[in-house]
Every structure is written in structure tokens, then in C-alpha cells.
């Protein structure tokens, strides 16, 4: 007999856990398996939090989050991405992670289908499953990791509820070109589907980025997610947000008020500062990621490991198909023989098999050593 | 200066040991372009030197430093520059600025010990006719040099692997 619920028992054990534990317990390795920036949170943001601690800003905020922060985000989205959400249309959450969970719980009925282009970030599938929804994967590996509107449309059934987009993508680093973005929007309207778009890496785009949420007259179809973890180097602060029309926000707030009450107060004050006074810092970090992404991409392509230059974010997604071994055995061998850790691509869905993800937010000297070791690995195993 | 020169400078300011190959990969230009641009920056006197930032806080018998403020009576015709030359030509003047405010020159002076620096200030600087007064601040500890912290702040380490 188990006390555990059927629901939690249904979440499959992660096959990759053993490898992850091996990495976590290994000493003296260079890890490109990291999932966060290598810059500290800019000092002005940390200083704002210290000030708020000193002054005793330590109570709950309203459920939806500080009005000041929602106003600052509204302004920031307008400036940065031409996205128009009023402060009533924004809900502050504990990271984008909470926002993803809220969206699924608020919009998925049992058997609803969510079209999910893969490879993709790992949290969507299990959270969709918990809501008894069905993730319908779209393999993007044959289209340079860019989901085509026509391929999405081919998966639409009478049960389809939503299309989930997450670009610039974790793990592939790719973004959808603007022409394709508008075609996807058209499909959502035509088939009356919701678009859930997680744009947590958008502010780390190396080229200009067009958000699907910037297309006019789409508000009833769009749930927009973003946060401060990546672009502002604020992973531990746990601040994200979801934007949508007021009806949707109120619905999500019904759950959020009971399950979270409010996002961490001090972090919310810090996030106000992040919105208002850190564009120079973010620009410096973005430039540094760009340089390192170019470097790593070049080093991999030089030894025949095809890598498409990412259009933003913290990762390169590299093909190991020329080596005829699985992602997992590549990652295991690389760790054992060369003391370099990467994330095997199959973690991000079946279509990630044959690839690995490398986090380029790694000190340049270490990135260089790791890239050279991967090159040696290829020479030896070719 | 063009964009590439700017980006090369930013990289070299962070790490003068980046190879031309590294820079070429990071900026997506050929190695020969990097080579030519760096040569050009040197020839135009924009890059003056490739040097190293040293944390001397814990090195015994290392030269010590003082900030020295000098009030100057400028010379007709040559202004501050001629007097500056008489000062910065000493090897132990490691930095020399003309500044706004209560005094005119701010120097960083290096010496083997306090006596050495005191001697230099009294004997060489204060005796220059156009120097009206001097104030010397010995440096006890350096926290940050050229944007680099002298001691790495403790911070939490990242999870080695996370999808
Ligand atoms: C695509 C994507 N969404 C959401 C998250 C979680 O972000 P947060 O720290 O805001 O919960 C991540 C973190 O890796 C991510 O890659």
C-alpha cells in the first residue's frame, strides 16, 4: 500500500536521474550542464533588496503582485517588445515555473491536447500530464528546430486546446522567424486555439525578436509568460509573470491566491529595479553570451559536430549524429573520459536524441578547455 | 573607432590573453582581420600596453603605493603640461592625472616603503617651483583595480546540471 496519489505515481521516473546524480557527485569536472547565467545579479538590484530588508518591507503583497512592479513590467514589455499589457493584465508568480503550472491548471480539461514543439524545456510535459491533458509533440529537428505553421496545423484535432511556444528555445537556442510567427497566429485564430508562449529568454535575443504577443487583436488567444531569472541573472529570486486578458488573469489568480498567496515580496521590489535600471547590464551580459555562443558553435562545427548558431539564450544544441552513439552514452563517455558534463538531448524529447545541450554561460577559459576536450573526444571516437 | 575595434578592445580589456583565434571565433570575423585591427589600434596609440592586474594585498615585500595630490601654479604659455612632464618622467609615478577640484594633479606613486615615498615627495615633488603644496595618502588596501575585485566575493555555486 502506498500513501502516494495516483496522480503523482503517474509521473514517470526520470530515466536521466542516474546520469544527473553522477554529474552532481563528480568532482573536478567542467560542467556545461548548468541551466542558469554565470553573472551575479547586477548590484543595483541586490542593493534595492538590501534597502527593502532594512526598511522592513517584509509583509505579503496583494495576490497579483505589487502594483508598482506590474506597472514597471507593463512599461518594459512595451519598450522592449512592443507588447501591450496593462497592469491589470499581469500576475506576478514565483518564477515562470509557477506561471506554467497556473496556466495549465486554469486552461486544460481532461483530454485536451496541447501541441508542443520539441525539443523543449522539460517542465511542460509532466505538468500537462498532471492536468490530465495530452502533450502532442511536434518534431522540429528536421526544420532547423523551427516549428512550421503547416506542421502545427497538421496536428490540430477537435481536442486541440492550445499551442505551446517557447522561443528563444531551451535547449536549441532557435527562434521562430517573424513571417512564421504570424502564420502560427493565423492558425490559432482559424482553429480557435490558445497560444501559450514562454519567452523567458527573449531579452537575451542576439538578433531582433518578434513576440507573437505583439501581434494586434490576438489578446483572447494569447497567454504570455516571462520572468527575471535569465536575462537579469535572478534565478534564485523566483520572480516570473503571466500576462493575458483580465478574465484569464482573474481565473489564474483564483488558484494562485490559494497555492502561492503572493510571490516573494523582497524579490518583487528587486524586480522593479531590474525593470527600470538594468538595460546596460543586460546588454553587457547579452553581448558576452553572444560571443561565447559564437565561439562554441564554431569550435563544434570545426570538428563536424553540426551546431546551428543560436539566436538567443544560454545554450548551444550540438548534433553528435556523426559519432553513431546515443546522446546518453555520449554524455556518459564524455564525463568519464574527459571530465566534461553536458545534458543529453533526449532529455528534451525524443527529437532531441542525437544532440547534446551545452550552456555557454560558462567562464570563457573553462568553455575553451571543454570545447577542446570535446574536439579531442571526436577525434578519438571517429 | 569602428564596431569591430570597439568589440576587440572590450574583450582585451577583460582578458589581454585572448588569442586572435579566440577573438575571431567570438566576433565572427577572420583571424587576419583581428590581427590587422589590433595592429592598427597599437599603431594609432589606442592600445598602449598589454598588462596584468595584480592583487598585491598579500604579497610581502611588494612595492607600496600612495596617492599624492599636488597644487600647481601653472606656467604662462605651457600651462600644466610642461610641469606634468617634470613629474611623470619619474618611473615611480605610475599614474598621473590632471583633475578638477581643490588640487590639480593626482598621482599614484610607488616606492619600496613609506620612507622611500616620503623622500620622493619631499625631495623631488615639493621642491619643484610650481608645486604649491602636496598631500600624501598611503594606500593600505586595494579592493578593486580596473574593474576587477582583488578578492573574489563568496557566492553560491550553481547546480552543475539542470535541464
Ligand atoms: C524555457 C524555460 N521556462 C521556464 C524556466 C523556469 O524559469 P523560472 O526560474 O522563472 O521558474 C526555464 C528555466 O530553465 C526555462 O528554460
Amino acid at each position: 500500500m502506498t500513501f502516494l496519489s495516483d496522480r503523482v505515481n503517474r509521473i514517470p521516473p526520470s530515466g536521466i536521474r542516474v546520469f544527473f546524480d553522477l554529474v552532481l557527485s563528480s568532482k573536478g569536472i567542467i560542467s556545461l550542464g548548468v541551466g542558469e547565467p554565470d553573472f551575479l545579479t547586477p548590484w543595483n538590484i541586490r542593493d534595492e533588496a538590501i534597502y527593502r530588508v532594512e526598511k522592513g518591507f517584509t509583509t505579503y503583497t496583494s495576490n497579483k503582485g505589487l502594483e508598482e512592479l506590474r506597472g514597471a513590467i507593463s512599461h518594459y514589455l512595451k519598450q522592449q517588445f512592443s507588447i501591450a499589457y496593462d497592469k491589470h493584465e499581469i500576475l506576478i508568480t514565483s518564477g515562470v515555473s509557477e506561471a506554467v503550472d497556473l496556466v495549465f491548471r486554469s486552461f486544460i480539461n481532461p483530454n485536451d491536447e496541447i501541441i508542443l514543439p520539441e525539443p523543449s524545456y522539460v517542465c511542460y510535459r509532466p505538468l500537462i500530464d498532471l492536468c490530465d491533458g495530452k502533450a502532442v509533440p511536434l518534431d522540429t529537428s528536421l526544420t532547423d528546430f523551427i516549428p512550421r505553421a503547416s506542421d502545427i496545423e497538421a496536428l490540430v484535432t477537435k481536442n486541440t486546446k492550445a499551442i505551446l511556444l517557447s522561443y528563444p528555445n531551451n535547449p536549441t537556442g532557435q527562434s521562430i522567424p517573424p513571417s512564421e510567427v504570424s502564420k502560427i497566429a493565423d492558425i490559432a485564430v482559424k482553429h480557435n486555439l490558445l497560444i501559450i508562449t514562454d519567452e523567458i529568454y527573449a531579452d537575451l535575443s542576439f538578433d531582433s525578436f518578434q513576440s507573437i504577443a505583439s501581434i494586434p487583436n490576438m489578446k483572447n488567444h494569447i497567454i504570455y509568460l516571462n520572468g527575471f531569472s535569465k536575462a537579469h541573472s535572478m534565478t534564485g529570486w523566483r520572480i516570473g509573470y503571466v500576462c493575458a486578458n483580465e478574465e484569464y488573469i482573474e481565473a489564474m489568480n483564483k488558484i494562485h491566491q490559494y497555492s502561492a498567496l503572493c510571490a516573494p515580496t523582497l524579490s518583487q521590489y528587486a524586480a522593479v529595479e531590474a525593470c527600470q535600471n538594468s538595460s546596460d547590464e543586460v546588454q553587457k551580459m547579452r553581448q558576452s553570451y553572444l560571443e561565447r555562443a559564437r565561439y562554441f558553435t564554431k569550435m563544434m562545427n570545426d570538428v563536424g559536430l553540426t551546431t546551428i548558431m543560436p539566436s538567443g539564450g544560454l545554450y548551444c544544441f550540438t548534433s553528435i549524429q556523426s559519432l553513431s552513439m546515443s546522446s546518453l552514452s555520449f554524455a556518459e563517455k564524455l564525463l568519464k573520459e574527459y571530465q566534461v558534463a553536458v545534458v543529453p538531448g533526449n532529455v528534451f524529447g525524443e527529437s532531441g536524441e542525437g544532440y547534446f545541450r551545452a550552456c555557454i554561460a560558462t567562464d570563457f577559459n573553462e568553455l575553451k578547455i571543454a570545447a577542446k576536450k570535446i574536439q579531442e573526444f571526436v577525434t578519438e571516437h571517429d | 573607432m569602428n564596431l569591430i575595434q570597439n568589440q576587440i578592445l572590450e574583450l582585451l580589456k577583460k582578458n589581454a590573453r585572448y588569442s586572435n583565434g579566440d577573438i575571431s571565433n567570438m566576433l565572427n570575423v577572420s583571424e587576419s582581420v583581428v590581427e590587422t585591427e589590433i595592429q592598427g589600434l597599437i599603431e594609432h596609440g589606442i592600445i598602449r600596453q598589454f598588462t596584468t592586474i595584480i592583487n598585491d594585498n598579500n604579497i610581502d615585500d611588494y612595492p607600496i603605493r600612495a596617492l599624492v595630490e599636488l597644487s600647481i601654479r601653472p606656467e604662462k604659455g605651457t600651462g600644466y603640461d610642461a610641469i606634468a612632464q617634470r613629474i611623470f618622467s619619474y618611473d615611480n609615478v605610475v599614474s598621473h592625472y590632471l583633475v578638477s577640484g581643490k588640487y590639480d594633479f593626482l598621482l599614484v606613486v610607488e616606492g619600496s616603503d613609506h620612507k622611500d615615498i616620503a623622500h620622493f615627495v619631499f625631495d623631488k615633488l615639493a621642491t619643484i617651483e610650481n608645486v604649491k603644496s602636496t598631500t600624501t595618502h598611503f594606500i593600505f588596501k586595494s579592493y578593486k583595480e580596473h574593474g576587477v575585485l582583488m578578492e573574489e566575493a563568496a557566492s553560491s555555486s550553481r547546480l552543475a546540471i539542470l535541464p
Side-chain angles (χ1 to χ4, degrees), chain A residues 35 95-97 121 124 166 170 198 200-201 229-230 238-239 315:
Chain A
V96 173
S97 303
Y121 180 51
Y124 308 128
S166 180
N170 172 10
D198 172 355
I200 192 166
Y201 296 99
S229 287
K230 313 291 175 165
R238 311 309 304 128
I239 296 287
Y315 315 107

Side-chain angles (χ1 to χ4, degrees), chain A residues 266-333:
Chain A
L266 292 165
S267 302
Q268 291 193 55
Y269 282 106
V272 175
E273 177 69 16
C275 276
Q276 292 174 341
N277 297 310
S278 50
S279 56
D280 288 354
E281 293 284 338
V282 173
Q283 168 54 23
K284 268 189 226 156
M285 297 193 271
R286 187 190 296 123
Q287 175 67 21
S288 165
Y289 299 138
L290 166 63
E291 286 160 1
R292 288 180 280 176
R294 280 189 189 134
Y295 175 84
F296 192 80
T297 302
K298 177 76 168 36
M299 292 292 277
M300 294 302 102
N301 284 315
D302 280 353
V303 284
L305 298 187
T306 305
T307 308
I308 307 176
M309 176 63 196
S311 76
L314 306 172
Y315 315 107
C316 282
F317 204 56
T318 296
S319 167
I320 48 150
Q321 281 151 13
S322 59
L323 296 177
S324 56
M325 57 177 86
S326 74
S327 298
L328 184 57
S329 58
F330 170 82
E332 284 171 348
K333 283 202 177 79

